[in-house]
């Protein structure tokens, strides 16, 4: 994904290790783990799910495609 001004990434991460974490804690873990890689990006968007949460998200967007944005 790029708006013409640099490297922009939208990443979906599915990992059962996220179980019990709120969104902020998951994002902090990802940001810490990939800090050197993220520094080189213009923009980084992340969506983090457990497998069960991801399956729910897929089911939701399959019935309401306009929610994918």
């Amino acid at each position: 994904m790029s708006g013409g001004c640099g490297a922009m990434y939208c990443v979906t991460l599915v990992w059962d290790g996220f179980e019990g974490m709120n969104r902020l804690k998951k994002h902090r873990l990802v940001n810490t783990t990939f800090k050197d890689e993220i520094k080189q990006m213009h923009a980084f968007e992340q969506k983090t799910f457990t497998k069960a949460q991801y399956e729910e998200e897929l089911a939701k967007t399959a019935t309401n495609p306009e929610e994918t944005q």
Side-chain angles (χ1 to χ4, degrees):
M1 172 167 101
S2 177
C5 61
M8 298 173 61
Y9 297 88
C10 178
V11 179
T12 300
L13 299 152
V14 180
W15 179 48
D16 281 333
F18 290 135
E19 187 68 45
M21 294 184 193
N22 63 31
R23 183 183 300 177
L24 181 60
K25 192 167 188 173
K26 290 188 269 186
H27 285 206
R28 284 182 176 163
L29 174 64
V30 171
N31 290 345
T32 299
T33 302
F34 296 104
K35 66 181 175 187
D36 292 334
E37 291 82 0
I38 293 171
K39 279 183 195 177
Q40 298 177 36
M41 299 175 193
H42 173 74
F44 178 73
E45 177 184 342
Q46 59 181 292
K47 297 178 182 179
T48 52
F49 303 96
T50 63
K51 185 176 178 183
Q53 290 169 334
Y54 187 65
E55 289 172 355
E56 284 179 29
E57 185 71 14
L58 288 177
K60 182 173 66 173
T61 57
T63 57
N64 296 311
E66 64 276 1
E67 291 186 22
T68 60
Q69 298 178 1

Short mmCIF file of all heavy atoms in Angstrom, two decimals:
data_model
loop_
_atom_site.label_atom_id
_atom_site.label_comp_id
_atom_site.label_asym_id
_atom_site.label_seq_id
_atom_site.Cartn_x
_atom_site.Cartn_y
_atom_site.Cartn_z
N MET A 1 0.85 -1.17 0.00
CA MET A 1 0.00 0.00 0.00
C MET A 1 0.90 1.23 0.00
O MET A 1 1.84 1.31 0.77
CB MET A 1 -0.87 -0.08 1.26
CG MET A 1 -1.69 1.10 1.58
SD MET A 1 -2.92 0.72 2.84
CE MET A 1 -2.14 1.42 4.27
N SER A 2 0.64 2.19 -0.89
CA SER A 2 1.45 3.40 -0.92
C SER A 2 0.63 4.56 -1.46
O SER A 2 -0.09 4.41 -2.43
CB SER A 2 2.69 3.21 -1.78
OG SER A 2 3.41 4.41 -1.84
N GLY A 3 0.78 5.68 -0.82
CA GLY A 3 0.11 6.89 -1.27
C GLY A 3 1.03 7.75 -2.09
O GLY A 3 0.76 8.91 -2.34
N GLY A 4 2.18 7.20 -2.50
CA GLY A 4 3.13 7.93 -3.31
C GLY A 4 4.19 8.67 -2.51
O GLY A 4 5.08 9.27 -3.08
N CYS A 5 4.12 8.61 -1.20
CA CYS A 5 5.07 9.39 -0.39
C CYS A 5 6.04 8.51 0.40
O CYS A 5 6.78 9.00 1.22
CB CYS A 5 4.30 10.31 0.56
SG CYS A 5 3.26 9.43 1.72
N GLY A 6 6.04 7.23 0.15
CA GLY A 6 6.96 6.36 0.87
C GLY A 6 6.38 4.98 1.10
O GLY A 6 5.28 4.67 0.65
N ALA A 7 7.12 4.16 1.79
CA ALA A 7 6.72 2.78 2.04
C ALA A 7 5.66 2.72 3.13
O ALA A 7 5.91 3.07 4.28
CB ALA A 7 7.93 1.95 2.43
N MET A 8 4.48 2.27 2.76
CA MET A 8 3.38 2.14 3.71
C MET A 8 2.97 0.66 3.74
O MET A 8 2.80 0.05 2.70
CB MET A 8 2.19 3.00 3.28
CG MET A 8 2.50 4.47 3.25
SD MET A 8 1.17 5.47 2.55
CE MET A 8 -0.15 5.15 3.67
N TYR A 9 2.80 0.13 4.93
CA TYR A 9 2.47 -1.28 5.08
C TYR A 9 1.26 -1.44 5.99
O TYR A 9 1.15 -0.80 7.02
CB TYR A 9 3.65 -2.04 5.68
CG TYR A 9 4.86 -2.02 4.79
CD1 TYR A 9 5.79 -0.99 4.88
CD2 TYR A 9 5.06 -3.02 3.85
CE1 TYR A 9 6.90 -0.97 4.04
CE2 TYR A 9 6.17 -3.00 3.02
CZ TYR A 9 7.08 -1.96 3.12
OH TYR A 9 8.18 -1.93 2.30
N CYS A 10 0.37 -2.35 5.57
CA CYS A 10 -0.77 -2.75 6.38
C CYS A 10 -0.62 -4.25 6.59
O CYS A 10 -0.67 -5.02 5.63
CB CYS A 10 -2.07 -2.42 5.67
SG CYS A 10 -3.51 -2.95 6.62
N VAL A 11 -0.40 -4.66 7.83
CA VAL A 11 -0.08 -6.04 8.15
C VAL A 11 -1.15 -6.63 9.05
O VAL A 11 -1.57 -5.99 10.02
CB VAL A 11 1.30 -6.12 8.85
CG1 VAL A 11 1.65 -7.53 9.23
CG2 VAL A 11 2.38 -5.51 7.97
N THR A 12 -1.59 -7.83 8.72
CA THR A 12 -2.51 -8.58 9.57
C THR A 12 -1.72 -9.71 10.21
O THR A 12 -1.14 -10.54 9.51
CB THR A 12 -3.70 -9.14 8.76
OG1 THR A 12 -4.39 -8.05 8.16
CG2 THR A 12 -4.64 -9.94 9.64
N LEU A 13 -1.69 -9.73 11.54
CA LEU A 13 -0.94 -10.74 12.28
C LEU A 13 -1.92 -11.62 13.06
O LEU A 13 -2.73 -11.11 13.82
CB LEU A 13 0.03 -10.06 13.25
CG LEU A 13 1.06 -9.17 12.57
CD1 LEU A 13 1.50 -8.06 13.48
CD2 LEU A 13 2.23 -10.01 12.15
N VAL A 14 -1.82 -12.93 12.84
CA VAL A 14 -2.68 -13.89 13.52
C VAL A 14 -1.77 -14.81 14.32
O VAL A 14 -0.92 -15.51 13.75
CB VAL A 14 -3.54 -14.69 12.51
CG1 VAL A 14 -4.42 -15.68 13.24
CG2 VAL A 14 -4.36 -13.76 11.64
N TRP A 15 -1.95 -14.80 15.65
CA TRP A 15 -1.08 -15.58 16.54
C TRP A 15 -1.83 -15.84 17.83
O TRP A 15 -2.34 -14.90 18.47
CB TRP A 15 0.20 -14.80 16.81
CG TRP A 15 1.19 -15.44 17.70
CD1 TRP A 15 1.65 -16.73 17.64
CD2 TRP A 15 1.88 -14.84 18.81
NE1 TRP A 15 2.58 -16.95 18.62
CE2 TRP A 15 2.73 -15.81 19.36
CE3 TRP A 15 1.84 -13.58 19.37
CZ2 TRP A 15 3.55 -15.55 20.45
CZ3 TRP A 15 2.65 -13.32 20.45
CH2 TRP A 15 3.51 -14.30 20.98
N ASP A 16 -1.92 -17.09 18.22
CA ASP A 16 -2.62 -17.40 19.46
C ASP A 16 -1.89 -16.89 20.70
O ASP A 16 -2.47 -16.82 21.78
CB ASP A 16 -2.89 -18.91 19.56
CG ASP A 16 -4.09 -19.33 18.72
OD1 ASP A 16 -4.98 -18.48 18.48
OD2 ASP A 16 -4.14 -20.49 18.29
N GLY A 17 -0.65 -16.48 20.54
CA GLY A 17 0.08 -15.86 21.64
C GLY A 17 -0.49 -14.51 22.06
O GLY A 17 -0.17 -14.00 23.13
N PHE A 18 -1.37 -13.93 21.24
CA PHE A 18 -2.04 -12.68 21.59
C PHE A 18 -3.19 -12.89 22.57
O PHE A 18 -3.77 -11.92 23.05
CB PHE A 18 -2.60 -11.99 20.34
CG PHE A 18 -1.56 -11.42 19.41
CD1 PHE A 18 -1.67 -11.61 18.04
CD2 PHE A 18 -0.50 -10.67 19.88
CE1 PHE A 18 -0.75 -11.07 17.16
CE2 PHE A 18 0.44 -10.13 19.02
CZ PHE A 18 0.32 -10.33 17.65
N GLU A 19 -3.52 -14.13 22.86
CA GLU A 19 -4.65 -14.44 23.74
C GLU A 19 -4.52 -13.71 25.07
O GLU A 19 -3.47 -13.70 25.71
CB GLU A 19 -4.72 -15.95 24.00
CG GLU A 19 -5.94 -16.38 24.75
CD GLU A 19 -7.22 -16.23 23.94
OE1 GLU A 19 -7.23 -16.60 22.75
OE2 GLU A 19 -8.21 -15.71 24.51
N GLY A 20 -5.60 -13.04 25.47
CA GLY A 20 -5.64 -12.33 26.75
C GLY A 20 -5.05 -10.93 26.71
O GLY A 20 -5.12 -10.21 27.71
N MET A 21 -4.48 -10.51 25.59
CA MET A 21 -3.90 -9.17 25.48
C MET A 21 -4.93 -8.22 24.88
O MET A 21 -5.66 -8.58 23.97
CB MET A 21 -2.68 -9.17 24.56
CG MET A 21 -1.50 -9.95 25.05
SD MET A 21 -0.14 -9.72 23.87
CE MET A 21 0.97 -10.98 24.43
N ASN A 22 -4.93 -6.98 25.38
CA ASN A 22 -5.76 -5.97 24.73
C ASN A 22 -5.01 -5.44 23.50
O ASN A 22 -3.85 -5.78 23.27
CB ASN A 22 -6.14 -4.84 25.70
CG ASN A 22 -4.95 -4.06 26.21
OD1 ASN A 22 -3.94 -3.90 25.53
ND2 ASN A 22 -5.05 -3.56 27.42
N ARG A 23 -5.68 -4.64 22.70
CA ARG A 23 -5.10 -4.15 21.45
C ARG A 23 -3.79 -3.39 21.68
O ARG A 23 -2.81 -3.59 20.96
CB ARG A 23 -6.09 -3.24 20.71
CG ARG A 23 -5.53 -2.78 19.37
CD ARG A 23 -6.45 -1.83 18.66
NE ARG A 23 -7.72 -2.46 18.40
CZ ARG A 23 -8.75 -1.84 17.83
NH1 ARG A 23 -8.64 -0.57 17.48
NH2 ARG A 23 -9.88 -2.46 17.63
N LEU A 24 -3.75 -2.54 22.69
CA LEU A 24 -2.54 -1.77 22.96
C LEU A 24 -1.36 -2.67 23.29
O LEU A 24 -0.25 -2.48 22.78
CB LEU A 24 -2.79 -0.77 24.09
CG LEU A 24 -1.62 0.13 24.46
CD1 LEU A 24 -1.17 0.97 23.28
CD2 LEU A 24 -2.00 1.02 25.63
N LYS A 25 -1.58 -3.67 24.11
CA LYS A 25 -0.50 -4.57 24.50
C LYS A 25 0.01 -5.36 23.28
O LYS A 25 1.21 -5.56 23.11
CB LYS A 25 -0.96 -5.51 25.61
CG LYS A 25 0.16 -6.27 26.26
CD LYS A 25 -0.30 -6.93 27.54
CE LYS A 25 0.91 -7.53 28.24
NZ LYS A 25 0.57 -8.03 29.56
N LYS A 26 -0.92 -5.81 22.43
CA LYS A 26 -0.53 -6.54 21.22
C LYS A 26 0.31 -5.65 20.31
O LYS A 26 1.36 -6.06 19.82
CB LYS A 26 -1.76 -7.04 20.46
CG LYS A 26 -2.50 -8.16 21.16
CD LYS A 26 -3.58 -8.75 20.28
CE LYS A 26 -4.89 -8.09 20.47
NZ LYS A 26 -5.99 -8.74 19.71
N HIS A 27 -0.13 -4.40 20.12
CA HIS A 27 0.59 -3.49 19.24
C HIS A 27 1.96 -3.14 19.80
O HIS A 27 2.94 -3.03 19.05
CB HIS A 27 -0.24 -2.24 18.98
CG HIS A 27 -1.37 -2.49 18.02
ND1 HIS A 27 -1.91 -1.50 17.24
CD2 HIS A 27 -2.06 -3.62 17.71
CE1 HIS A 27 -2.88 -2.01 16.50
NE2 HIS A 27 -2.99 -3.29 16.77
N ARG A 28 2.05 -2.96 21.09
CA ARG A 28 3.36 -2.68 21.69
C ARG A 28 4.32 -3.85 21.51
O ARG A 28 5.51 -3.64 21.24
CB ARG A 28 3.20 -2.34 23.17
CG ARG A 28 2.66 -0.95 23.40
CD ARG A 28 2.56 -0.64 24.88
NE ARG A 28 2.13 0.75 25.07
CZ ARG A 28 1.66 1.23 26.19
NH1 ARG A 28 1.53 0.45 27.26
NH2 ARG A 28 1.29 2.49 26.27
N LEU A 29 3.81 -5.07 21.65
CA LEU A 29 4.64 -6.25 21.45
C LEU A 29 5.16 -6.31 20.02
O LEU A 29 6.36 -6.52 19.78
CB LEU A 29 3.85 -7.53 21.77
CG LEU A 29 4.55 -8.85 21.47
CD1 LEU A 29 5.79 -9.02 22.35
CD2 LEU A 29 3.59 -10.02 21.69
N VAL A 30 4.29 -6.08 19.05
CA VAL A 30 4.70 -6.09 17.64
C VAL A 30 5.69 -4.96 17.37
O VAL A 30 6.73 -5.17 16.73
CB VAL A 30 3.46 -5.97 16.72
CG1 VAL A 30 3.88 -5.76 15.27
CG2 VAL A 30 2.58 -7.21 16.85
N ASN A 31 5.40 -3.76 17.87
CA ASN A 31 6.28 -2.62 17.64
C ASN A 31 7.67 -2.86 18.22
O ASN A 31 8.69 -2.49 17.62
CB ASN A 31 5.68 -1.35 18.22
CG ASN A 31 4.48 -0.86 17.45
OD1 ASN A 31 4.23 -1.28 16.33
ND2 ASN A 31 3.70 0.01 18.08
N THR A 32 7.74 -3.46 19.39
CA THR A 32 9.03 -3.76 20.02
C THR A 32 9.78 -4.84 19.24
O THR A 32 10.98 -4.71 19.00
CB THR A 32 8.81 -4.22 21.48
OG1 THR A 32 8.17 -3.16 22.19
CG2 THR A 32 10.13 -4.55 22.15
N THR A 33 9.06 -5.86 18.84
CA THR A 33 9.67 -6.98 18.13
C THR A 33 10.24 -6.55 16.78
O THR A 33 11.33 -6.98 16.39
CB THR A 33 8.65 -8.12 17.93
OG1 THR A 33 8.16 -8.52 19.21
CG2 THR A 33 9.28 -9.30 17.23
N PHE A 34 9.52 -5.69 16.07
CA PHE A 34 9.92 -5.29 14.72
C PHE A 34 10.38 -3.83 14.64
O PHE A 34 10.29 -3.21 13.58
CB PHE A 34 8.76 -5.54 13.75
CG PHE A 34 8.39 -6.98 13.62
CD1 PHE A 34 7.27 -7.48 14.24
CD2 PHE A 34 9.20 -7.85 12.90
CE1 PHE A 34 6.92 -8.81 14.15
CE2 PHE A 34 8.87 -9.19 12.80
CZ PHE A 34 7.74 -9.68 13.41
N LYS A 35 10.90 -3.30 15.74
CA LYS A 35 11.24 -1.87 15.79
C LYS A 35 12.23 -1.46 14.71
O LYS A 35 12.08 -0.39 14.11
CB LYS A 35 11.72 -1.46 17.17
CG LYS A 35 13.03 -2.07 17.59
CD LYS A 35 13.43 -1.63 18.98
CE LYS A 35 14.69 -2.37 19.39
NZ LYS A 35 15.02 -2.11 20.78
N ASP A 36 13.24 -2.26 14.43
CA ASP A 36 14.23 -1.89 13.42
C ASP A 36 13.62 -1.86 12.02
O ASP A 36 13.92 -0.98 11.21
CB ASP A 36 15.43 -2.83 13.46
CG ASP A 36 16.25 -2.67 14.73
OD1 ASP A 36 16.23 -1.58 15.33
OD2 ASP A 36 16.92 -3.65 15.12
N GLU A 37 12.74 -2.83 11.74
CA GLU A 37 12.09 -2.87 10.44
C GLU A 37 11.10 -1.71 10.28
O GLU A 37 11.02 -1.08 9.23
CB GLU A 37 11.36 -4.21 10.26
CG GLU A 37 12.27 -5.40 10.11
CD GLU A 37 12.81 -5.97 11.42
OE1 GLU A 37 12.48 -5.45 12.52
OE2 GLU A 37 13.56 -6.96 11.37
N ILE A 38 10.35 -1.43 11.35
CA ILE A 38 9.35 -0.37 11.30
C ILE A 38 10.00 1.00 11.12
O ILE A 38 9.45 1.87 10.44
CB ILE A 38 8.45 -0.41 12.56
CG1 ILE A 38 7.61 -1.70 12.55
CG2 ILE A 38 7.56 0.81 12.65
CD1 ILE A 38 6.86 -1.97 13.84
N LYS A 39 11.18 1.19 11.66
CA LYS A 39 11.90 2.48 11.52
C LYS A 39 12.12 2.83 10.06
O LYS A 39 12.21 4.00 9.71
CB LYS A 39 13.28 2.39 12.20
CG LYS A 39 13.26 2.58 13.66
CD LYS A 39 14.70 2.55 14.17
CE LYS A 39 14.76 2.36 15.65
NZ LYS A 39 16.15 2.25 16.13
N GLN A 40 12.24 1.82 9.21
CA GLN A 40 12.54 2.05 7.80
C GLN A 40 11.29 2.30 6.95
O GLN A 40 11.39 2.53 5.75
CB GLN A 40 13.32 0.87 7.25
CG GLN A 40 14.64 0.68 7.95
CD GLN A 40 15.40 -0.54 7.48
OE1 GLN A 40 15.36 -0.87 6.31
NE2 GLN A 40 16.08 -1.20 8.39
N MET A 41 10.14 2.25 7.58
CA MET A 41 8.88 2.41 6.86
C MET A 41 8.33 3.83 7.06
O MET A 41 8.51 4.42 8.11
CB MET A 41 7.84 1.41 7.38
CG MET A 41 8.24 -0.02 7.22
SD MET A 41 7.02 -1.08 8.00
CE MET A 41 7.92 -2.63 8.00
N HIS A 42 7.64 4.31 6.06
CA HIS A 42 6.98 5.61 6.18
C HIS A 42 5.77 5.49 7.09
O HIS A 42 5.52 6.35 7.93
CB HIS A 42 6.56 6.11 4.80
CG HIS A 42 5.74 7.35 4.84
ND1 HIS A 42 6.29 8.58 5.12
CD2 HIS A 42 4.42 7.55 4.66
CE1 HIS A 42 5.33 9.49 5.11
NE2 HIS A 42 4.19 8.90 4.82
N ALA A 43 5.00 4.41 6.91
CA ALA A 43 3.80 4.19 7.72
C ALA A 43 3.60 2.69 7.92
O ALA A 43 3.89 1.90 7.04
CB ALA A 43 2.58 4.80 7.06
N PHE A 44 3.11 2.33 9.10
CA PHE A 44 2.91 0.93 9.44
C PHE A 44 1.58 0.79 10.17
O PHE A 44 1.38 1.39 11.23
CB PHE A 44 4.05 0.44 10.34
CG PHE A 44 3.91 -0.98 10.80
CD1 PHE A 44 4.11 -2.02 9.92
CD2 PHE A 44 3.59 -1.27 12.12
CE1 PHE A 44 3.99 -3.35 10.35
CE2 PHE A 44 3.47 -2.58 12.55
CZ PHE A 44 3.67 -3.62 11.67
N GLU A 45 0.66 0.06 9.57
CA GLU A 45 -0.64 -0.21 10.18
C GLU A 45 -0.70 -1.70 10.50
O GLU A 45 -0.33 -2.53 9.67
CB GLU A 45 -1.77 0.15 9.22
CG GLU A 45 -3.15 -0.17 9.75
CD GLU A 45 -4.24 0.11 8.74
OE1 GLU A 45 -4.01 0.84 7.77
OE2 GLU A 45 -5.34 -0.45 8.92
N GLN A 46 -1.16 -2.02 11.69
CA GLN A 46 -1.25 -3.43 12.06
C GLN A 46 -2.62 -3.78 12.60
O GLN A 46 -3.26 -2.98 13.26
CB GLN A 46 -0.18 -3.79 13.09
CG GLN A 46 -0.26 -2.99 14.37
CD GLN A 46 0.82 -3.35 15.35
OE1 GLN A 46 0.82 -4.44 15.89
NE2 GLN A 46 1.74 -2.43 15.57
N LYS A 47 -3.02 -4.99 12.24
CA LYS A 47 -4.24 -5.58 12.78
C LYS A 47 -3.81 -6.89 13.41
O LYS A 47 -3.19 -7.72 12.74
CB LYS A 47 -5.27 -5.80 11.68
CG LYS A 47 -5.72 -4.51 11.04
CD LYS A 47 -6.70 -4.75 9.93
CE LYS A 47 -7.08 -3.43 9.29
NZ LYS A 47 -8.00 -3.61 8.18
N THR A 48 -4.11 -7.06 14.68
CA THR A 48 -3.62 -8.23 15.42
C THR A 48 -4.80 -9.03 15.95
O THR A 48 -5.74 -8.47 16.52
CB THR A 48 -2.72 -7.79 16.58
OG1 THR A 48 -3.41 -6.81 17.36
CG2 THR A 48 -1.41 -7.19 16.07
N PHE A 49 -4.74 -10.34 15.73
CA PHE A 49 -5.82 -11.23 16.12
C PHE A 49 -5.27 -12.56 16.64
O PHE A 49 -4.21 -13.00 16.20
CB PHE A 49 -6.70 -11.60 14.91
CG PHE A 49 -7.29 -10.44 14.17
CD1 PHE A 49 -6.67 -9.92 13.05
CD2 PHE A 49 -8.48 -9.88 14.58
CE1 PHE A 49 -7.23 -8.87 12.35
CE2 PHE A 49 -9.05 -8.82 13.89
CZ PHE A 49 -8.42 -8.31 12.77
N THR A 50 -6.04 -13.20 17.51
CA THR A 50 -5.83 -14.63 17.75
C THR A 50 -6.52 -15.34 16.59
O THR A 50 -7.27 -14.73 15.81
CB THR A 50 -6.45 -15.10 19.08
OG1 THR A 50 -7.87 -14.92 18.99
CG2 THR A 50 -5.88 -14.35 20.27
N LYS A 51 -6.30 -16.64 16.46
CA LYS A 51 -6.93 -17.37 15.38
C LYS A 51 -8.46 -17.27 15.48
O LYS A 51 -9.15 -17.04 14.48
CB LYS A 51 -6.50 -18.83 15.39
CG LYS A 51 -7.03 -19.62 14.23
CD LYS A 51 -6.50 -21.05 14.21
CE LYS A 51 -7.10 -21.80 13.04
NZ LYS A 51 -6.70 -23.19 13.01
N ALA A 52 -9.00 -17.42 16.69
CA ALA A 52 -10.44 -17.34 16.88
C ALA A 52 -10.97 -15.95 16.52
O ALA A 52 -12.01 -15.81 15.86
CB ALA A 52 -10.82 -17.70 18.32
N GLN A 53 -10.25 -14.90 16.93
CA GLN A 53 -10.67 -13.53 16.61
C GLN A 53 -10.64 -13.29 15.10
O GLN A 53 -11.52 -12.63 14.55
CB GLN A 53 -9.76 -12.52 17.30
CG GLN A 53 -9.92 -12.46 18.80
CD GLN A 53 -8.81 -11.65 19.47
OE1 GLN A 53 -7.70 -11.52 18.95
NE2 GLN A 53 -9.13 -11.11 20.64
N TYR A 54 -9.62 -13.84 14.44
CA TYR A 54 -9.49 -13.66 13.00
C TYR A 54 -10.63 -14.36 12.26
O TYR A 54 -11.20 -13.82 11.31
CB TYR A 54 -8.14 -14.16 12.52
CG TYR A 54 -7.87 -13.86 11.06
CD1 TYR A 54 -7.75 -12.54 10.64
CD2 TYR A 54 -7.74 -14.87 10.13
CE1 TYR A 54 -7.51 -12.25 9.30
CE2 TYR A 54 -7.49 -14.59 8.80
CZ TYR A 54 -7.38 -13.27 8.39
OH TYR A 54 -7.15 -12.98 7.07
N GLU A 55 -10.97 -15.56 12.71
CA GLU A 55 -12.08 -16.28 12.09
C GLU A 55 -13.39 -15.51 12.27
O GLU A 55 -14.21 -15.45 11.35
CB GLU A 55 -12.18 -17.69 12.66
CG GLU A 55 -11.04 -18.57 12.18
CD GLU A 55 -10.97 -19.93 12.86
OE1 GLU A 55 -11.74 -20.19 13.80
OE2 GLU A 55 -10.11 -20.73 12.45
N GLU A 56 -13.59 -14.90 13.44
CA GLU A 56 -14.77 -14.05 13.67
C GLU A 56 -14.76 -12.86 12.72
O GLU A 56 -15.80 -12.49 12.16
CB GLU A 56 -14.79 -13.54 15.10
CG GLU A 56 -15.22 -14.54 16.13
CD GLU A 56 -15.21 -13.95 17.54
OE1 GLU A 56 -15.41 -12.73 17.69
OE2 GLU A 56 -14.99 -14.72 18.49
N GLU A 57 -13.60 -12.25 12.55
CA GLU A 57 -13.47 -11.09 11.66
C GLU A 57 -13.79 -11.48 10.22
O GLU A 57 -14.49 -10.75 9.52
CB GLU A 57 -12.05 -10.52 11.76
CG GLU A 57 -11.82 -9.25 10.99
CD GLU A 57 -12.53 -8.04 11.58
OE1 GLU A 57 -12.98 -8.08 12.73
OE2 GLU A 57 -12.63 -7.03 10.86
N LEU A 58 -13.28 -12.62 9.78
CA LEU A 58 -13.57 -13.09 8.42
C LEU A 58 -15.06 -13.34 8.23
O LEU A 58 -15.62 -12.98 7.19
CB LEU A 58 -12.78 -14.36 8.11
CG LEU A 58 -11.28 -14.21 7.92
CD1 LEU A 58 -10.64 -15.57 7.71
CD2 LEU A 58 -10.96 -13.28 6.77
N ALA A 59 -15.70 -13.95 9.21
CA ALA A 59 -17.13 -14.23 9.12
C ALA A 59 -17.92 -12.92 9.08
O ALA A 59 -18.89 -12.79 8.32
CB ALA A 59 -17.57 -15.08 10.30
N LYS A 60 -17.50 -11.95 9.88
CA LYS A 60 -18.19 -10.66 9.93
C LYS A 60 -18.08 -9.93 8.59
O LYS A 60 -19.05 -9.41 8.08
CB LYS A 60 -17.62 -9.80 11.06
CG LYS A 60 -18.29 -8.46 11.22
CD LYS A 60 -17.82 -7.71 12.45
CE LYS A 60 -16.37 -7.33 12.33
NZ LYS A 60 -15.92 -6.45 13.43
N THR A 61 -16.89 -9.90 8.02
CA THR A 61 -16.69 -9.18 6.76
C THR A 61 -17.30 -9.93 5.59
O THR A 61 -17.63 -9.32 4.59
CB THR A 61 -15.20 -8.89 6.52
OG1 THR A 61 -14.46 -10.10 6.52
CG2 THR A 61 -14.65 -7.94 7.54
N ALA A 62 -17.46 -11.25 5.71
CA ALA A 62 -18.11 -12.00 4.64
C ALA A 62 -19.59 -11.64 4.57
O ALA A 62 -20.17 -11.62 3.48
CB ALA A 62 -17.95 -13.51 4.89
N THR A 63 -20.20 -11.32 5.69
CA THR A 63 -21.61 -10.94 5.69
C THR A 63 -21.80 -9.45 5.50
O THR A 63 -22.86 -9.01 5.08
CB THR A 63 -22.32 -11.39 7.01
OG1 THR A 63 -21.63 -10.81 8.11
CG2 THR A 63 -22.33 -12.89 7.13
N ASN A 64 -20.77 -8.64 5.81
CA ASN A 64 -20.82 -7.18 5.65
C ASN A 64 -19.54 -6.69 4.97
O ASN A 64 -18.67 -6.14 5.62
CB ASN A 64 -20.97 -6.48 7.02
CG ASN A 64 -22.26 -6.82 7.70
OD1 ASN A 64 -23.31 -6.75 7.09
ND2 ASN A 64 -22.18 -7.19 8.96
N PRO A 65 -19.41 -6.87 3.65
CA PRO A 65 -18.15 -6.51 2.95
C PRO A 65 -17.72 -5.07 3.13
O PRO A 65 -16.53 -4.77 3.08
CB PRO A 65 -18.45 -6.80 1.49
CG PRO A 65 -19.65 -7.67 1.48
CD PRO A 65 -20.39 -7.41 2.77
N GLU A 66 -18.65 -4.15 3.37
CA GLU A 66 -18.26 -2.74 3.54
C GLU A 66 -17.47 -2.50 4.80
O GLU A 66 -16.83 -1.47 4.97
CB GLU A 66 -19.48 -1.81 3.51
CG GLU A 66 -20.47 -2.01 4.65
CD GLU A 66 -21.49 -3.12 4.43
OE1 GLU A 66 -21.47 -3.80 3.40
OE2 GLU A 66 -22.32 -3.32 5.33
N GLU A 67 -17.43 -3.45 5.74
CA GLU A 67 -16.67 -3.29 6.98
C GLU A 67 -15.20 -3.62 6.82
O GLU A 67 -14.44 -3.52 7.75
CB GLU A 67 -17.27 -4.18 8.08
CG GLU A 67 -18.63 -3.71 8.53
CD GLU A 67 -19.14 -4.52 9.71
OE1 GLU A 67 -18.33 -5.13 10.43
OE2 GLU A 67 -20.36 -4.53 9.91
N THR A 68 -14.75 -4.00 5.63
CA THR A 68 -13.35 -4.37 5.43
C THR A 68 -12.44 -3.16 5.39
O THR A 68 -11.24 -3.29 5.44
CB THR A 68 -13.17 -5.19 4.14
OG1 THR A 68 -13.61 -4.42 3.03
CG2 THR A 68 -13.92 -6.51 4.23
N GLN A 69 -12.98 -1.97 5.28
CA GLN A 69 -12.14 -0.78 5.18
C GLN A 69 -11.88 -0.17 6.51
O GLN A 69 -12.54 -0.22 7.44
CB GLN A 69 -12.78 0.23 4.25
CG GLN A 69 -12.91 -0.34 2.87
CD GLN A 69 -13.61 0.63 1.92
OE1 GLN A 69 -14.00 1.74 2.31
NE2 GLN A 69 -13.79 0.22 0.71
#
